Amino acid sequence: QVQLVESGGGSVQAGGSLRLSCEASESTWRLAWFRQAPGKEREGVASMRRDGVKRYQDFAMGRFTVSRDSAKTTLYLEMNNLIPEDTAIYYCAADYRVLYGSAFELGAKEYAFWGQGTQVTVSS
C-alpha cells in the first residue's frame, strides 16, 4: 500500500504560480497528477515514469512542469501562468505496474493509489 501526501495548494491570482509536492511512501513505476473541478470528471494533468519519461495533457503543455526527486519518491508539479480554469482539487496518484503510453500514464482508472488532494484556486 503506497501512501501519498500532497501539499502546496492555495489561492493565487490569474497569471500566478504554484508548486505542488507529493510525497510517496515508496517509489513506484508511475506517478501522476490529476485534477477534478466541481461537476467535472477527474482528468490527468501530467505524469512521470521512474525512467524519466514525462507526459502532459494539452492544457498543461508549456505552463506546467512535472518532476521527481532523485529518490523517485517525491513528485512535483510546477504550475505557471495559472488561469481560473485551473481551479480544482489536485490529486497525486501512483501505481506499480509497468505500463506504457498516455492512456495508461494519464488515465485515472490505471492508478491504484491516491492522495487526499490539495485545493488550487485561481481568481481572475
Side-chain angles (χ1 to χ4, degrees), residues 28-31 93-99 109-113:
T28 58
W29 177 249
R30 288 176 289 129
L31 278 174
D95 200 276
Y96 293 116
R97 294 174 297 163
V98 180
L99 299 174
K109 63 187 177 131
E110 302 298 340
Y111 286 82
F113 307 104

Side-chain angles (χ1 to χ4, degrees), residues 1-4 24-26 28 94 96 112-114:
Q1 189 83 358
V2 181
Q3 308 296 322
L4 301 167
S25 56
E26 60 184 277
T28 58
Y96 293 116
F113 307 104
W114 293 84

